[in-house]
């Protein structure tokens, strides 16, 4: 069974940067996609970014375009989320997810069947 392990969260000042990593073990999503979602206290889980392995295509939420980037290393079954110009509203638990979404469900959390445990990102001065 595939497991996803996230790392890289922490406390950062507004305007700072962090890079999250998510490694898949016990398998891969080579024919699917790996994504990042986040959930702030009292809010629903929201889509952040996704990457299709076969095509390399990526998609980002409008709220993070121009600040975040998703990339991957298929030799390591690992996807990364580079976060720049962080804002207080980026504070959340960030979850990595893997699955086989179709184009219309790329941003839907229900399309991803395997989830990591989450890593806390706190943006505060």
């Amino acid at each position: 069974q595939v497991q996803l392990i996230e790392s890289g969260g922490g406390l950062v000042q507004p305007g700072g940067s962090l890079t999250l990593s998510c490694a898949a073990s016990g398998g891969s999503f080579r024919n699917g996609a790996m994504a990042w979602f986040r959930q702030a206290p009292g809010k629903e889980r929201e889509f952040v970014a996704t990457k299709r392995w076969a095509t390399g295509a990526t998609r980002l939420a409008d709220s993070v375009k121009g600040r975040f980037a998703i990339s991957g290393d298929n030799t390591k079954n690992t996807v990364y989320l580079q976060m720049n110009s962080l804002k207080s509203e980026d504070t959340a638990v960030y979850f990595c997810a893997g699955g086989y979404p179709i184009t219309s469900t790329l941003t839907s959390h229900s399309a991803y069947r395997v989830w990591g445990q989450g890593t806390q990102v706190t943006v505060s001065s």
Side-chain angles (χ1 to χ4, degrees):
Q1 178 147 354
V2 180
Q3 291 185 317
L4 300 177
I5 302 173
E6 302 115 331
S7 62
L11 173 64
V12 63
Q13 292 186 342
S17 298
L18 274 178
T19 299
L20 305 182
S21 300
C22 174
S25 63
S28 69
F29 293 96
R30 296 284 175 86
N31 296 316
M34 289 179 70
W36 290 95
F37 289 77
R38 67 186 182 186
Q39 188 165 18
K43 294 188 177 182
E44 294 186 352
R45 191 168 299 190
E46 65 171 354
F47 168 78
V48 177
T50 190
K51 177 180 175 65
R52 283 189 182 277
W53 285 115
T55 63
T58 62
R59 186 175 296 184
L60 295 167
D62 288 343
S63 59
V64 305
K65 282 180 181 176
R67 301 188 298 122
F68 291 12
I70 185 170
S71 62
D73 183 340
N74 59 14
T75 66
K76 298 180 179 179
N77 292 328
T78 299
V79 67
Y80 306 97
L81 184 68
Q82 175 67 44
M83 304 184 293
N84 300 318
S85 301
L86 282 161
K87 306 174 181 180
S88 58
E89 51 262 45
D90 294 318
T91 295
V93 177
Y94 283 70
F95 296 90
C96 178
Y100 301 91
I102 57 176
T103 300
S104 61
T105 63
L106 271 174
T107 64
S108 172
H109 64 82
S110 62
Y112 296 85
R113 61 182 181 87
V114 179
W115 291 80
Q117 78 285 358
T119 185
Q120 177 69 47
V121 172
T122 302
V123 184
S124 175
S125 56

